[in-house]
Amino acid sequence: MSEFKEDVSIVLGGAAGQGIQTVEEILTHALKKSGYHVYANKEYMSRVRGGINTTEIRVSSKRVRAFVKRIDILVPFKQGVLSWVRDRLGENTVVLGEKENVEEEFLDKVNLVEVPLTKMVMEVGSQLYLNTTAAGLIVGFFHGDFGAVEEYIRKRFGSKGENVVQKNIEAARKGYELGVKLCEEGTIKIEVERDEKVKDEVLLTGTEAVGIGAFAGGMDFLSFYPMSPSTGVSTFAAQHAEEFGIIVEQVEDEISAINMALGAWYAGARAMVSTSGGGFALMSEAISLAGMAENPVVVHLAQRPGPATGLPTRTMQGDLNLVLYSGHGDFPRIILAPGSLEEAFYLTAEAFNLADKYQVPVIILTDQYFVDTYYNLPAPDMEKVKFERYIVEAKPGYRRYELTEDGISPRAVPGYGEEVVIANGNEHDEWGDITEDAELTIKMQEKRAIKKLETIKKNAPLPKLIGSENAKYLVIAWGSTLHVVEEALEKLGRDDVALLHFSWVYPLKPKVREFFEGKVLIDVENNITGQFAELLRKELGIEVHHKILKYDGRPFSVEEVLEGLKGVIE
Amino acid sequence: MNVQLPTGRELFEPKRPGSQDIAWCPGCGNFGIRNILISALAELGLKPNQVAIISGIGQAAKMPHYINVNGYHTLHGRAIPIATGVKASNPELTVIAEGGDGDMYAEGGNHLLHAIRRNPDITVLIHDNQVYGLTKGQASPTTMKGMKTPTQPWGVFEEPFNPLALAIALDASFVARTFMGYFKESVEIIKKAIQHKGLTIVDILHPCVSFNKVNTYAWYREHTYWMDDHDPYDREAAFRRALESDPLPLGIFYIHEKPTFEEQVPAYKKDKTPLWKREPKPELVKKFFEGKKL
């Protein structure tokens, strides 16, 4: 008998095209609806068919939001899955499924619970229903709400006709009944408490959190060129474009994408581009134009490992330097990196106000791990989102680049007011016309690169401290690693270790320095050089003492961070 | 100039201090194009705040500084996507993308191709002097074979770009060519281009007095002719005309009236409010979250 309590990590693995994602969706929805806290994340290969993709689903009695290496239940849909996740298998791992899908070398070593999935689905009529059967099986273990499974199948397959819906429901039910039976027989015992509150929560992905955040922030226009793992946000926007009355356009290249967005902002709309590192590299010319012309723009960059094509479907926090330094010449920018889905929603919405206010590029850094993460959370509160528009009317005498104390010139848009608006990527006078005057050049450089930057810094929020102010050890993290580090610290259970998480990455307020004073600093980053640690050194003169880095294209697991921390502290 | 200039031109004469120091060489064809453009805008009865000129980089791209309309002097080759974004955000504006032959046909070539497919309602004016002026005389995509330049000392051997044939091949909405030396005719063509609904391409031949010693004012007069008997709705005929190389035909080659980008995007189907005036829709965000509770 295998027994799992409180928190179960279920991994499903199969070839691309076998419908692993469908299982992930059915399970997360049905289990959430049944009152369980759920978390899911996938890893997949850059191919349309074949290979091995896996998805991890954690089902828990309390909130879970982080990736764990541990596998409690593994469902392989093909041979090769066990080898692929070899280092994640433990003594207690249960392999659930058909013997044919387990490589010979593992047969004696693992706890195999044979389930004749193929036979079961053939009774329904086709191999195609394998994934719904597997999903039903797992929901059965939790005695979950089968109505939620039906509801999801109906939503997902409704457009394919009633027959497909019915067959899938039948397949899921077979799985479900078997799951319940295996528990009753005592083959598998799962004890996870339900939390009624979860039922009223929402289930989101990182992609959706960014996408709906953009809508909440008043995004009017999104231009993009498809690139993993950022495309999901563009797809999301396109699918809601009609409803929200926005324009979403797939363009000829990333250069066009960002220039269109700049044009949209120049004319007063709120535009965003969604891309990844390689696409952003092409955009750097226009980022520089945004700097000189003080043209607002919002960029969502979902990071993946580079250089060049790197690992197209995997994860890394490797593009901080790219966005920090992209574009020639000196000009400010704002870099945000949400750690939670709530933050992704609020920060993406706020990015539009920030771009509008400071007239700079605002870059939201996520990564493959983050955009592909699912979990339940209380619905974000639209009342907390403010729509702040900073456009002024162009009255006679209007000067687009008026020199001001705080470095922010009033921004008018064409057609609003009698006067014309001249924007310029060349050095310019206050009206926007070309200048080569040395004194004016100095003033304009100072306005953009110093005064405006200082204004942004002054208003920048502080990072979030989790744990005691007096802790001896301070773990530093930014962006998507938030919950993994948080859970590792919970597991570590020491009150002399605190976490400082940055979701506002740049520019940093000088006051941030105070958090580091007298502490042993441990930097956790999903890249090879510790790009954020470098930023801290450059901006604030802070030297971290230890770095825990991971750069194999996979996200940190709770166990890895925990081990890393133990290695430093103990 | 012995032509009657339209009234209202003074509206478009800028008075900003920086606009008085014009960077063009004496005798440059750009002066003539500026005059033509100002006259066309005045004759159309537009006001400066209703027009936006988005330019790339180069001497031609300096136009926004020498005219009193909204302007954005941007990057080499990028005027078209930026203009597309401007028009999409505010379809009430008359949007013109302006640049030279290097700007539109070399650096911005890909954008031109796809703008034709996208068909935003913008006017693309190409100052085509068959040479790179601002960078001092290198060959451009439209430089004729055999012309020697500092960077092509052996003479250009690449096939010149044929923007008209290309645009017609891609079924562009409006394709025309003019020579800026013909003032009245050019004003008429540009007026029609601006009034036309959809992407319009006007290739404007003009001399570079400093760096192109071949294609002079006299050369353009001798090597061009006006198409009097051409039906611009006949695509095959237009294509044949576009392939003529000497003399070069002038006039409107091709017109294909078709839906524009802004007309087809769902955003404007029911609601004509320009994007920039719209506000977030919190009730739809709330509705989305309700759906995510399932």
Side-chain angles (χ1 to χ4, degrees), chain B residues 4 20 23 38 40 48 50-51 54 74 81 89 107 117 124 131 150-151 153 164 180 187 198 210 215 248 250:
Chain B
Q4 184 71 45
Q20 306 306 308
I38 285 181
Q50 294 173 323
V51 182
I54 315 302
T74 69
S89 301
E107 196 87 58
R117 292 178 51 233
V124 182
V131 76
T151 46
L164 299 115
M180 50 65 61
V187 170
S210 296
N215 310 107
L248 296 162
L250 301 177

Side-chain angles (χ1 to χ4, degrees), chain A residues 29 32-33 155 200-203 208 212 216 218 220 236 243-247 249 251-253 255-256 259-260 263-264 266-269 285 289 293 295 380 382-383 387 389 414-418 420-426 429 431-434, chain B residues 16-19 48-49 52 54 57 62 64-65 68-76 78 81-82 84-86 88-90 93 110-111 114 118 261 265-268 270 275-282 284-289 291-294:
Chain A
H29 282 85
K32 190 231 104 180
K33 195 95 196 270
K155 196 173 149 192
D200 271 337
E201 295 194 349
V202 299
L203 186 64
E208 289 170 329
I212 195 67
D220 300 302
F236 177 88
E243 187 189 356
F244 280 84
I246 73 153
I247 295 180
E249 178 70 355
V251 298
E252 58 273 22
D253 54 30
I255 298 171
S256 182
N259 280 293
M260 257 187 217
Y266 164 71
E285 177 200 43
L289 172 63
N295 196 135
M382 210 29 222
E383 311 302 321
F387 177 64
R389 213 201 269 286
Y416 179 45
E418 278 173 65
V420 300
V421 181
I422 312 293
N424 195 350
N426 292 252
D429 60 20
W431 288 265
D433 289 310
I434 299 173
Chain B
R16 303 182 305 269
S19 64
N49 71 348
I54 315 302
I57 292 296
K62 287 178 178 160
H65 303 296
N68 186 38
V69 298
N70 294 294
Y72 193 174
H73 187 175
T74 69
L75 293 171
H76 203 35
R78 313 299 172 216
I82 296 178
T84 304
V86 172
S89 301
N90 189 356
L93 291 171
N110 196 29
H111 304 312
H114 294 277
R118 191 169 288 121
F261 174 65
V265 290
Y268 287 121
K270 286 180 207 139
L275 293 186
W276 80 274
K277 287 183 180 167
R278 297 186 188 190
E279 295 200 352
K281 301 186 168 94
L284 291 179
V285 175
K286 286 180 193 157
K287 196 180 129 202
F288 170 82
F289 286 131
K292 286 287 156 186
K293 289 179 183 171
L294 206 98

Side-chain angles (χ1 to χ4, degrees), chain B residues 118-121 197-199 258-265:
Chain B
R118 191 169 288 121
N119 199 32
D121 185 15
K197 187 169 66 73
L199 186 88
K258 54 184 177 178
T260 65
F261 174 65
E262 301 80 34
E263 281 172 341
Q264 294 180 89
V265 290

Side-chain angles (χ1 to χ4, degrees), chain A residues 261-312:
Chain A
L262 291 185
W265 274 101
Y266 164 71
R270 293 188 155 197
M272 178 164 98
V273 297
S274 185
T275 189
S276 295
F280 189 83
L282 284 171
M283 295 180 180
S284 67
E285 177 200 43
I287 292 289
S288 195
L289 172 63
M292 177 53 101
E294 305 193 48
N295 196 135
V297 69
V298 176
V299 180
H300 166 242
L301 193 168
Q303 301 166 96
R304 68 190 219 190
T309 313
L311 291 163

Side-chain angles (χ1 to χ4, degrees), chain A residues 130-160:
Chain A
L130 200 67
N131 45 35
T132 29
T133 308
L137 180 75
I138 291 162
V139 178
F141 290 157
F142 292 89
H143 293 85
D145 177 359
F146 191 76
V149 176
E150 282 187 321
E151 195 178 6
Y152 192 78
I153 288 174
R154 208 164 278 288
K155 196 173 149 192
R156 176 78 198 255
F157 300 108
S159 60
K160 295 184 177 176

